Amino acid sequence: MAEAIEVYENEQRRFPPSPEFVAAALTGDRSLYDEADADFEAFWARQARELITWQRDFDQVLDWQLPFAKWFIGGQLNVSYNCLDRHVEAGRGDRIAFHWEGEPGDTRTFTYAELLAEVAKFANVLKGLGLEKGDRIAIYMPMIPELPIAMLACTRIGVAHSVVFGGFSPDAISDRCNDASATVIITADAGYRRGEPSALKANVDQAFPNCDTVDRVIVVNRCDTDPPMEPGRDLWWHELMADAEADCPAEPLDSEQLLYLLYTSGTTAKPKGIMHTTGGYLTHIAFTHKYVFDLKPDTDVYWCAADIGWVTGHSYIVYGPLTNGATSVMYEGTPDTPRSQSRGGDRSSWPKDRLWDIIERYGVTQLYTAPTAIRTFMKWGEQEVAGHDLSSLRVLGTVGEPINPEAWMWYHTHIGGGTCPIVDTWWQTETGGHMISPLPGVTTTKPGSGCHAIPGVTVEVVDDEGNVVEEGGGYLTISKPWPGMLRGIWGDDDRYRETYWSQYPGRYFAGDGARLDEDGYLWLLGRVDDVMNVSGHRISTAEIESALVDHPAVAEAAVVGAADDTTGQAIIGYVILVGGHEASHALRDEVRRHVATKLGPVARPKAVFIVPDLPKTRSGKIMRRLLRDVAEGRVLGDTTTLADATVVDAIRVGAADSDED
Ligand code: WTA
């Protein structure tokens, strides 16, 4: 049978962990896999009881009414208690939770006891505003300590948060607030990015008239930019905190209490509110954070260089590390912005070594970042790394997109000193935590492979008919429920069933292609649906298309993700103009800017081509595959289903005329 997805990769290099690493590792043999294989429910129950403190023990491990799962039924717990109080009660209140560093170079340190005090106070602030268990609020903040404090305060009283990435635009804020019926937005005046304050409150002000349910906005003063404050609506964080009571008991919450919503792109223009609940999620991320990173909380300094606005930050900056009592680094800005004291001359002469500088100064032991960042560091060159002592590093992680073997080897050689195990972690907003990853003391890695499902997770590759593939390419599915799994899409059970459970009966379909090699190693092949992966961020073609046609000059639009050396995929738009508009470079730019304004800078197309027509099937479906061929400069694939064969030639000519930047 023909393979569902063809694969040409043939990577022969192997990297076993060193005997020293294995000897010191939390787990250095297959016992966790064996235990989970024997009885996955019993395995997760043991993890839940060992890693989490329950105010009431659970009566039942799993209730599985496909596709709806409940984990640890009857159990009661509180996330902020697990992240904070219990460490303080155990005498570890002086341990540092976060070494925070602002982009200008200012720093703040929070011990567990200090973080607890702030969280309890802010939970009282929320209560004072009338928020109650089950309510939803939105958070739109830069990477400052008040962001995890706000999230944890929500969990303390059972309020669910919906964090909106700070790079998103006003429309994204109002859409998400309306979908979740959020009543409060927490934001900041601005955050530092690339050396300058980047405004946030102004975006909230612009979104506010379209937010039907929000009545209060809490504002952290990060950059002293003095935004206008609307009396009665806008409240300063520091003023509220000055008056807040210090004591706020952590409420025992049901294991299935909604913890948060996080909106993610799918194949339609409307983002989905992914629902995560309490007990199962916390168990899953505590387990994976501990064993995938070989976390030794007494001595490690762990750093996940993601943004909390994405799921990676939720699970592996905030909830996983704090549950495990880790000491973490949290950094506000971009990797190419040095501390203000190291900035001289114009920006082009600034060093691009901020990450390596941070690792050296804090003695970071685990670094977790994205392949797109690694490829950027490669481009900047080894000289940015040279001169920094990175010998504290023990484990390196990657997440967000397939890592090409070349970038893997660069990371291994130049950052890992040729010795650190690399954990390439595959997972999604929907899965809550890691699903496929090496265990650093157990797995012999291959550059570019995610290796195997973690203990307790069952991943299977299937072909077009849903038959399990033992070797070769196909579609990645998950065939058993797992504790961190999404519990649904907020307000839309049908869409949940349809999106994830309808393609292959009884299986969760992740939207990714994968290949199993002859040794049973998994190789992730990227998205197989209409979702692009740009710099590790999922963006739907439909969402960009709808932003493009929103421009008055655009009649019709098609978007594809074309392979890109740095960002993995780049957004390429093809548009047909409304009659009367002339194609011009200025118009192409304006259209690209329009998308950035509608959706945020991450969504700005790399290029927009103005074309006379779009390639369609006879039934009117846009043939994105052909557009991708054009965008990537390939020979066209099968055109037999194309309604009008001359269209593609016209597009090619149009594309050749356009210039991108
Ligand atoms: C992709 C990010 C290959 C994949 C945690 C998935 C990866 C999507 C990897 C989820 C990896 C994530 N190797 N591809 N290690 N990690 N992906 O929801 O396509 O932002 O479906 O979650 O990123 O993106 P999301």
Side-chain angles (χ1 to χ4, degrees), residues 264 310-312 368 371 398-403 424-431 436 448 450 510-512 524-527 533 536-538:
T264 190
W310 309 106
V311 75
T312 303
Y368 191 29
T398 73
V399 57
E401 55 186 310
I403 181 163
D424 172 1
T425 61
W426 179 91
W427 58 294
Q428 306 179 295
T429 306
E430 291 87 342
T431 70
I436 297 171
D512 282 29
L524 280 307
L525 304 175
R527 306 287 311 178
N533 191 324
H537 301 147
R538 269 163 68 176

Side-chain angles (χ1 to χ4, degrees), residues 5 70 82 192 214 274 314 334 368 371 400 402-403 441 445 499 587:
I5 294 178
K70 291 186 180 142
N82 274 276
Y192 286 103
V214 177
I274 301 302
H314 282 58
T334 60
Y368 191 29
I403 181 163
T445 53
T499 307
L587 181 59

Side-chain angles (χ1 to χ4, degrees), residues 393-408:
L393 288 170
R394 305 198 293 115
V395 179
L396 302 178
T398 73
V399 57
E401 55 186 310
I403 181 163
N404 47 313
E406 196 193 345
W408 196 102

Side-chain angles (χ1 to χ4, degrees), residues 45-80:
R46 179 172 81 82
Q47 298 305 332
R49 291 193 172 104
E50 277 181 19
L51 300 173
I52 305 299
T53 305
W54 298 80
Q55 278 143 306
R56 183 184 185 283
D57 190 20
F58 46 90
D59 314 307
Q60 188 188 339
V61 179
L62 172 65
D63 174 41
W64 181 221
Q65 313 285 335
L66 193 141
F68 295 98
K70 291 186 180 142
W71 282 85
F72 310 127
I73 297 128
Q76 290 189 338
L77 72 162
N78 183 282
V79 169
S80 79

